[in-house]
Amino acid sequence: MTILVTGGAGFIGANFVYHMLEKYPSYKVICLDALTYAGNMETLATAMENPQFIFIKGDIADREAVYKVFESHKPDWVVNFAAESHVDRSITNPDIFLRTNVIGTGVLMDACRKYGTSRFHQVSTDEVYGDLPLDRPDLFFTEETPIHTSSPYSASKASADLLAQAYHRTFKLPVTISRCSNNYGPYHFPEKLIPLMIANALNDKSLPVYGKGENIRDWLYVLDHCVAIDLILHKGKVGEVYNIGGHNERTNLDVVKTILKELNKPESLINYVTDRPGHDMRYAIDPTKINNALGWLPSTSFDEGIKKTIKWYLDNRKWWENILAGEYQGYYEKMYAGR
Ligand code: NAD
Ligand code: DAU
């Protein structure tokens, strides 16, 4: 079995690479990653020592390069994590989101058709459903919830989902799609809420909370997401969409206060800043389908997961300090200046 994992040098893709190498020692895992600002070879250092793992630097939107990878490695399955994934960056520069998230997905699926790949799994997001109002805690996203996007990022992910469904219907491409809620855990790039707040708190820097911090996200420990994708690959039904989430809803302010408490830092570090344009209010996944069909249940509660995550950032300071010291610093200053 050979699995092509795109975006494997990023946060979730790398966790998935490690999960698969450990659980299926006989599988070959090929990682195709363009190493954008979000890709990090330090994350894959241990995988690089495994003879079952091969890393290839390349862009999923580069048709020639992608076909070459398929020609050489003939993957049985493709799992597409590669994406521009940060909502804030999609607001300042939507273009690259269209190229990678839409065109890139199309190129990968063309390669799957050309080389007869037996599964294309698209790693999508709950953001394709738009948001839910704060005063309707009874509402959840199901697989039947209409696509209704808010940001250039979510619009690009929704476009990729529609394209994947069209390839399944028109070309009978064996596609599955998963739509997961917010992940957190090791190797999370420190531009996203949880790792950013941990890093800033550890450096006694202010914690920029957008608006009033009332927005709600449904947090899932990254390994639970990886296990769900593993199950969909092995037992899922072609043509189906599976929502993934563990009923771990928290306001942003709750999350930030939990981090401060765990690190024994004062709440005076919180700084309320100008809100994100078009900011989604609440995400909440109904995971009934994947529970019933595949027996998936999350194994890590938020209270346990956030402690494990904070410990990981304390034990792996060099990993995130290297990122903060690089080009990311310029981004941070630009994104948060005068906010
Ligand atoms: P990430 O930004 O940490 O990693 C993305 C990876 O893709 C990086 O390694 C980057 O170098 C690579 N990449 C970017 N453009 C590429 C291109 N053109 N060709 C090849 N590689 C490219 O993202 P993440 O948070 O790990 O998210 C992975 C996937 O999961 C994305 O598709 C995202 O939409 C989806 N998702 C993320 C979350 C979350 O909470 N982070 C939740 C649900 C779904
Ligand atoms: O729901 C799944 C999605 O979760 C994924 O598809 C995306 O790839 C992933 O980035 C994430 O999107 P969010 O926009 O929810 O994540 P982010 O970490 O950027 O923000 C989480 C919440 O925290 C959101 O309400 C905005 C807020 N926030 C974020 C940052 C970076 C702040 O208040 N301050 C900040 O500095």
Side-chain angles (χ1 to χ4, degrees):
M1 173 63 68
T2 299
I3 308 184
L4 177 65
V5 176
T6 68
F11 164 46
I12 309 173
N15 278 283
F16 183 76
V17 163
Y18 284 117
H19 166 76
M20 295 305 275
L21 287 173
E22 192 186 324
K23 185 157 173 208
Y24 305 101
S26 67
Y27 288 13
K28 272 212 148 58
V29 177
I30 317 288
C31 170
L32 174 66
D33 195 298
L35 295 181
T36 67
Y37 78 94
N40 189 342
M41 285 312 286
E42 279 179 41
T43 304
L44 290 176
T46 307
M48 293 298 277
E49 291 164 12
N50 188 323
Q52 293 296 83
F53 179 75
I54 294 174
F55 178 82
I56 301 163
K57 184 173 188 288
D59 177 353
I60 58 164
D62 178 343
R63 190 171 291 274
E64 211 180 304
V66 167
Y67 285 8
K68 227 168 105 187
V69 172
F70 276 69
E71 185 69 51
S72 310
H73 297 283
K74 309 264 176 344
D76 298 293
W77 294 344
V78 174
V79 186
N80 183 28
F81 290 95
E84 287 293 333
S85 71
H86 190 32
V87 172
D88 291 329
R89 289 186 191 246
S90 83
I91 295 166
T92 50
N93 179 18
D95 249 27
I96 184 68
F97 285 72
L98 304 187
R99 179 178 152 81
T100 292
N101 299 3
V102 187
I103 306 288
T105 303
V107 168
L108 285 172
M109 290 193 296
D110 284 339
C112 288
R113 288 178 61 208
K114 187 170 156 77
Y115 293 94
T117 307
S118 63
R119 179 69 69 85
F120 176 78
H121 183 75
Q122 175 65 4
V123 181
S124 185
T125 166
D126 60 358
E127 294 201 19
V128 301
Y129 300 122
D131 64 352
L132 297 164
L134 292 183
D135 60 358
R136 290 294 307 275
D138 56 315
L139 295 180
F140 295 90
F141 297 138
T142 74
E143 290 79 1
E144 283 8 285
T145 302
I147 300 282
H148 182 85
T149 59
S150 312
S151 69
Y153 163 70
S154 54
S156 70
K157 292 296 290 185
S159 306
D161 282 16
L162 294 175
L163 198 60
Q165 286 172 320
Y167 270 56
H168 172 62
R169 170 146 179 174
T170 304
F171 304 120
K172 309 279 174 280
L173 189 73
V175 167
T176 43
I177 297 174
S178 54
R179 294 179 179 149
C180 191
S181 60
N182 286 61
N183 285 212
Y184 67 103
Y187 303 117
H188 204 180
F189 194 90
E191 67 184 350
K192 306 284 175 69
L193 181 77
I194 288 184
L196 174 69
M197 298 298 160
I198 296 173
N200 279 15
L202 285 172
N203 287 331
D204 295 309
K205 278 179 73 172
S206 70
L207 273 46
V209 170
Y210 297 167
K212 295 183 187 151
E214 288 171 336
N215 308 65
I216 290 175
R217 296 293 182 266
D218 182 1
W219 294 97
L220 187 72
Y221 193 65
V222 62
L223 193 58
D224 282 325
H225 186 185
C226 297
V227 168
I229 294 173
D230 172 359
L231 267 176
I232 294 168
L233 288 171
H234 287 93
K235 295 189 181 148
K237 195 166 154 217
V238 161
E240 296 289 313
V241 174
Y242 296 92
N243 281 356
I244 308 171
H247 289 300
N248 261 315
E249 288 179 56
R250 296 279 189 288
T251 66
N252 293 339
L253 203 52
D254 277 349
V255 170
V256 170
K257 286 184 177 172
T258 304
I259 292 169
L260 287 171
K261 199 163 162 227
E262 283 296 324
L263 290 173
N264 206 14
K265 297 283 181 179
E267 287 189 7
S268 56
L269 283 177
I270 294 174
N271 180 25
Y272 294 95
V273 301
T274 310
D275 211 349
R276 171 187 278 174
H279 198 173
D280 281 335
M281 286 316 298
R282 171 175 170 248
Y283 302 147
I285 281 280
D286 175 355
T288 306
K289 178 174 173 179
I290 191 165
N291 288 169
N292 290 345
L294 306 180
W296 177 85
L297 278 173
S299 64
T300 305
S301 70
F302 187 76
D303 291 343
E304 185 193 347
I306 197 72
K307 282 194 175 73
K308 277 203 319 207
T309 303
I310 290 174
K311 183 171 178 336
W312 188 87
Y313 279 84
L314 284 167
D315 292 346
N316 292 274
R317 269 193 106 109
K318 196 167 154 285
W319 182 87
W320 56 270
E321 281 178 347
N322 282 351
I323 293 171
L324 297 190
E327 62 179 302
Y328 174 72
Q329 203 172 10
Y331 161 85
Y332 189 85
E333 275 153 22
K334 224 162 90 197
M335 178 60 74
Y336 292 92
R339 206 162 170 171

